[in-house]
Amino acid sequence: MKAIIRSGDGKAKPADGDQAIFHCTTRTLDGIIVDSTRSEHGGKDNPIRNVLGKSKMILGFVEGIPTMTKGEVAMFKMKPEIHYAEEDCPLTVSETFPKNDELHFEIEMIDFHKVKVVSEDLGVVKKVCKMMQSTILNK
């Protein structure tokens, strides 16, 4: 379930092959913060960078991130089966993380853009830029 906290800019949304850059704060349904990328919530203020269709992501992010626009802040309420308790979850969490609980994931979509994956571990990606062609007229 998704609730928009703040609308984003424009109508463009990330798609496969885009690197999505976003902050995430995870809370229990009681509002207790269990994880965050934001420094004000104990994180390192380093946003998550995932390449859609390539990066290991929880199912809730695979489904939710492509629905967002740049600048949007949304709250995703997720059942355990679509976050860290999903069968064959590609990510691990600490033993103290409440992976069997329904959780709220507050996501702020900072930016997204097409990338070319340079290394298999996704450690190096290149931003794909479209160049404008100009015609030079000689007189």
Side-chain angles (χ1 to χ4, degrees):
M1 184 176 359
K2 175 184 175 182
I4 296 175
I5 296 170
R6 182 183 73 210
S7 296
D9 304 330
K11 294 182 181 183
K13 297 177 180 176
D16 275 2
D18 287 348
Q19 182 180 57
I21 303 166
F22 57 95
H23 274 293
C24 178
T25 298
T26 307
R27 293 178 173 89
T28 64
L29 296 187
D30 297 334
I32 298 168
I33 296 172
V34 295
D35 190 36
S36 182
T37 58
R38 296 186 174 281
S39 59
E40 63 265 29
H41 299 305
K44 296 181 180 177
D45 214 30
N46 291 327
I48 296 169
R49 296 171 178 268
N50 281 334
V51 179
L52 302 184
K54 301 275 187 193
S55 296
K56 294 178 180 179
M57 297 169 60
I58 59 172
L59 185 57
F61 286 1
V62 170
E63 294 176 359
I65 296 296
T67 70
M68 299 184 73
T69 58
K70 183 178 176 181
E72 180 179 318
V73 178
M75 182 71 74
F76 292 92
K77 183 177 180 182
M78 296 184 202
K79 294 188 179 286
E81 322 54 85
I82 65 167
H83 63 69
Y84 297 98
E86 70 179 270
E87 190 174 319
D88 299 325
C89 182
L91 302 171
T92 59
V93 288
S94 71
E95 291 196 20
T96 59
F97 189 90
K99 71 179 190 177
N100 294 311
D101 294 349
E102 196 166 316
L103 299 171
H104 284 155
F105 292 82
E106 180 182 315
I107 306 292
E108 178 185 8
M109 179 61 68
I110 298 168
D111 197 8
F112 57 88
H113 47 264
K114 289 281 181 222
V115 293
K116 179 178 180 184
V117 176
V118 177
S119 65
E120 288 299 315
D121 67 356
L122 302 175
V124 179
V125 297
K126 289 184 183 179
K127 183 176 181 178
V128 177
C129 299
K130 290 184 180 180
M131 292 182 54
M132 295 181 63
Q133 268 189 321
S134 61
T135 306
I136 300 173
L137 299 175
N138 292 323
K139 290 188 177 187

